[in-house]
Amino acid sequence: MRVNRILLSSALIVVALVIQVSVLARLHLPGAVPDLLLLTVLGLALVYGHVGGALVGFAAGLLADLAPPADHAAGRYALVLCVIGYLAGLAKPENGRLKSATGPMLVVVAAAIGTTLLYAGVGALVGDTAARHVGLPSLLFTASLYDLLLAPFVVPGIMALARRADNDPLAEAGSSAKSADISSGWLSSGTGLKIGGQRGGLGGLKTRTRTRTTRVGRVKGVKRL
């Protein structure tokens, strides 16, 4: 990943985790808790693709595993968000632009359900049966509902920030100037000429041609006399 992507992803993940722990987790809503960290990963994955989504998901999940008051095995949520980020990145539009909000909303619902199921499945493998006591159907419904209601306020903004960080005007101008220099280099190596008002360019060629013509005319005039 590029440096600007790493910096933006790190800042968004930290902010989302702080809001998740300090605000959303204390709302005491019935069932699941709105997963702002998941929505952040989804927004970045829809711009960065499956590889970037997997890396962002793993980093976000690992940070959530280590941040207090985590009460589960470290690496559990990192594995879940890594898989979800990879799968969400596969839904990235080819041109990078979304034609409608239907696709991202379906991705959010599928990610909420998949995250809950994967988290409960990994928990069952390590002996954590907390999801059975709460009720898995209730968790699936409330997680999908909360994330779907929160997604319109989070995912579009995350995607806009990610696109703006990728489209750097200075970098584009630098690359254009570099390509222009390369093109002029190819022309000069093939023709022996340099483009523009430089020494040996087309202007210089015309000046030398006129000078030679004038000299030839003068010589001819002298011979006639």
Side-chain angles (χ1 to χ4, degrees):
M1 296 179 69
R2 291 180 290 183
V3 177
N4 54 348
R5 288 188 175 187
I6 295 175
L7 295 177
L8 178 63
S9 302
S10 302
L12 292 176
I13 288 172
V14 171
V15 172
L17 183 61
V18 170
I19 297 176
Q20 178 82 30
V21 174
S22 60
V23 179
L24 298 179
R26 298 184 179 183
L27 294 178
H28 301 291
L29 296 174
V33 177
D35 200 340
L36 183 60
L37 196 62
L38 171 64
L39 297 179
T40 303
V41 172
L42 294 180
L44 294 174
L46 289 175
V47 177
Y48 296 159
H50 58 283
V51 177
L55 294 175
V56 171
F58 179 80
L62 185 60
L63 186 61
D65 288 332
L66 300 178
D71 56 351
H72 55 269
R76 179 177 172 183
Y77 203 45
L79 174 62
V80 172
L81 285 188
C82 180
V83 175
I84 295 298
Y86 180 86
L87 295 177
L90 296 177
K92 173 187 174 182
E94 295 181 358
N95 57 356
R97 299 292 179 180
L98 297 175
K99 297 181 180 179
S100 65
T102 304
M105 292 299 103
L106 293 177
V107 172
V108 169
V109 174
I113 295 175
T115 301
T116 305
L117 292 176
L118 284 175
Y119 189 80
V122 175
L125 293 176
V126 298
D128 185 4
T129 59
R132 297 180 182 178
H133 299 289
V134 178
L136 188 58
S138 175
L139 285 178
L140 292 175
F141 175 76
T142 53
S144 303
L145 179 62
Y146 296 154
D147 292 346
L148 189 60
L149 293 176
L150 189 61
F153 304 98
V154 178
V155 176
I158 297 294
M159 296 179 65
L161 289 175
R163 289 198 187 100
R164 182 172 297 180
D166 276 352
N167 299 328
D168 189 357
L170 296 178
E172 293 179 358
S175 62
S176 300
K178 184 176 180 181
S179 61
D181 293 340
I182 294 174
S183 300
S184 62
W186 274 99
L187 289 174
S188 62
S189 63
T191 61
L193 302 176
K194 294 184 180 179
I195 306 301
Q198 300 176 358
R199 185 178 180 181
L202 296 179
L205 179 62
K206 292 181 179 179
T207 303
R208 289 196 299 269
T209 304
R210 292 175 182 176
T211 303
R212 291 175 181 176
T213 304
T214 304
R215 291 178 179 177
V216 171
R218 290 179 180 177
V219 173
K220 289 182 178 180
V222 171
K223 289 182 177 180
R224 289 176 183 177
L225 292 175

